[in-house]
């Protein structure tokens, strides 16, 4: 993550706080992250030195036409400063800063199957028990854990996977 992305994210957050729009900008940033990560074409357009900045700006305005005024101004600023390739990093950094501001964390929950509402509530309860805070859940799917879940919040890890329990049982039996 570049220091420039952090500076842009801090500036956007500061402006959003002044205009009481931090929640709206957060939604825009999450949309930007999801869209860029799912579109290799958009990544290519933003990173290509061959594509003119006017085309990049027009593309961003069209793709994110429902985004707020501050997000649109961020596009202008990044284009003007020839840093539009940092857009995804700025968006990610903004969400991190927003979470710190709201005193929430991102918890990575690794499961063998996608989280449903019940599993999500159980994970949220475990997060609250371990950290005392709420957290935004990011689900990672890894079938090798067989079942259960692995929870990571900051530098804390809680492993309740079947694979981990089988390994522990195997270790006990071999002793």
């Amino acid at each position: 993550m570049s220091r420039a992305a952090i500076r842009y994210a801090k500036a956007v957050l500061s402006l959003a706080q002044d205009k009481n729009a931090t929640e709206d900008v957060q939604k825009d940033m999450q949309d930007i992250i999801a869209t860029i990560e799912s579109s290799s074409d958009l990544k290519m357009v933003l990173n290509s030195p061959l594509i003119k900045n006017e085309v990049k700006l027009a593309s961003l305005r069209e793709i994110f036409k429902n985004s707020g005024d501050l997000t649109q101004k961020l596009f202008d600023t990044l284009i003007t400063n020839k840093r539009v390739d940092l857009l995804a990093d700025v968006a990610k950094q903004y969400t991190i800063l927003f979470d710190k501001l709201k005193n929430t964390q991102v918890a990575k929950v690794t499961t063998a199957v996608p989280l449903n509402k019940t599993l999500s509530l159980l994970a949220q309860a475990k997060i609250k028990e371990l950290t005392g805070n709420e957290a935004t859940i990011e689900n990672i799917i890894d079938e090798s854990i067989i079942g259960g879940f692995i929870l990571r919040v900051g530098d804390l890890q809680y492993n309740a996977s079947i694979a981990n329990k089988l390994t522990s049982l195997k270790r006990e039996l071999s002793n």
Side-chain angles (χ1 to χ4, degrees), residues 8 11-12 15 57 61 70-84:
Y8 282 111
V12 173
L15 284 170
L57 183 59
R61 290 208 187 288
L70 287 173
T71 305
Q72 294 293 330
K73 286 180 180 169
L74 173 64
F75 298 155
D76 293 339
T77 304
L78 291 174
I79 291 287
T80 303
N81 296 338
K82 296 177 175 49
R83 300 308 300 262
V84 75

Side-chain angles (χ1 to χ4, degrees), residues 130-143:
L130 293 171
T131 66
N133 291 329
E134 299 276 318
T136 306
I137 294 177
E138 181 184 318
N139 187 207
I140 300 164
I141 295 152
D142 180 1
E143 294 174 2

Side-chain angles (χ1 to χ4, degrees), residues 104-115:
T104 57
Q105 302 168 295
V106 176
K108 294 185 185 209
V109 180
T110 306
T111 54
V113 294
L115 280 178

Side-chain angles (χ1 to χ4, degrees), residues 4-36:
I6 294 167
R7 283 195 300 272
Y8 282 111
K10 283 180 179 176
V12 173
L13 182 64
S14 178
L15 284 170
Q17 285 176 298
D18 292 346
K19 297 189 186 276
N20 289 325
T22 54
E23 302 276 342
D24 296 334
V25 175
Q26 170 71 352
K27 287 182 185 119
D28 290 348
M29 295 300 147
Q30 288 173 328
D31 286 346
I32 289 168
I33 294 166
T35 305
I36 291 175

Side-chain angles (χ1 to χ4, degrees), residues 2-5 8 46-47 78 83-91:
S2 78
R3 292 197 341 241
Y8 282 111
L46 294 176
N47 292 319
L78 291 174
R83 300 308 300 262
V84 75
D85 57 313
L86 293 177
L87 180 59
D89 289 341
V90 172

